[in-house]
Amino acid sequence: MTTPSYSIRKAVAADFEAIDEFDMFAGDRQEEISRGECFVAVQGETVAGYLTTARSFYQNPFIAYIQVRDNQQRHGIGHALLAFAESRWPVEKIYISTEADNAPMLHLLQKRGYTPAGEILFIQNEPELVFCKLR
Ligand SMILES: CC(C)(COP(=O)(O)OP(=O)(O)OC[C@H]1O[C@@H](n2cnc3c(N)ncnc32)[C@H](O)[C@@H]1OP(=O)(O)O)[C@@H](O)C(=O)NCCC(=O)NCCS
């Protein structure tokens, strides 16, 4: 199977609608886009995935949201979005979290060398597991 090529860039206001079509997380990403904290993976004219990151975790970079469109998953876009974020902060710790029952995300974090860094309760139904990439 051939993998369509894609590029990753900072999201602009015009990307909001496309992101919102598949964004499963609470609220929407308007604020993150306007703060310059949202990045999109684009295939042709299609926004295939996005990630947000900000220096919001005790001054450390934190990836709050990462999502790939359902029909574009398993083509390496999740990997590429994380690699992009990691390359922006090459010498710093990067934190990220996901629910304890999110098998695809847990596999992805393991493959990219993230280390368990604790858990937070009472945010969602499942414990929120925190991971860190130590360089
Ligand atoms: C998690 C997510 C971002 C992965 O994106 P993706 O583009 O499909 O990921 P990739 O194609 O780069 O896959 C990377 C690895 O993730 C793991 N993975 C991805 N989807 C998986 C699935 N359905 N089941 C098991 N492992 C999976 C695999 O280890 C995979 O590597 P492999 O294909 O070599 O086996 C995507 O599943 C998604 O958008 N999920 C919904 C949103 C979400 O849960 N976000 C995380 C919480 S913030």
Side-chain angles (χ1 to χ4, degrees), residues 2-134:
T2 55
T3 304
S5 62
Y6 49 85
S7 56
I8 298 177
R9 59 164 171 76
K10 193 174 276 193
V12 295
D15 295 317
F16 171 73
E17 214 171 298
I19 293 170
D20 209 45
E21 280 171 13
F22 64 92
D23 191 359
M24 64 183 263
F25 295 107
D28 64 40
R29 307 288 74 80
Q30 225 149 8
E31 273 190 36
E32 288 89 346
I33 293 170
S34 65
R35 287 199 298 256
E37 296 171 354
C38 185
F39 298 87
V40 283
V42 181
Q43 281 176 336
E45 297 293 302
T46 306
V47 174
Y50 80 91
L51 158 153
T52 70
T53 185
R55 196 178 288 279
S56 58
F57 199 71
Y58 302 95
Q59 309 293 325
N60 293 290
F62 179 67
I63 296 167
Y65 307 111
I66 175 171
Q67 188 173 357
V68 175
R69 269 186 204 269
D70 283 357
N71 63 357
Q72 316 254 12
Q73 290 180 6
R74 299 307 289 263
H75 289 302
I77 297 174
H79 260 304
L81 283 165
L82 285 182
F84 177 86
E86 292 157 13
S87 71
R88 285 176 63 86
W89 288 282
V91 294
E92 294 180 77
K93 293 179 283 187
I94 294 193
Y95 287 87
I96 191 166
S97 69
T98 190
E99 282 187 276
D101 63 351
N102 189 341
M105 187 62 182
L106 293 169
H107 281 125
L108 176 56
L109 292 174
Q110 188 184 27
K111 281 203 162 175
R112 292 212 59 81
Y114 283 75
T115 303
E119 68 177 38
I120 303 171
L121 304 180
F122 313 126
I123 292 188
Q124 319 217 53
N125 292 335
E126 291 290 324
E128 187 73 9
L129 303 185
V130 180
F131 291 83
C132 179
K133 184 127 181 182
L134 300 160

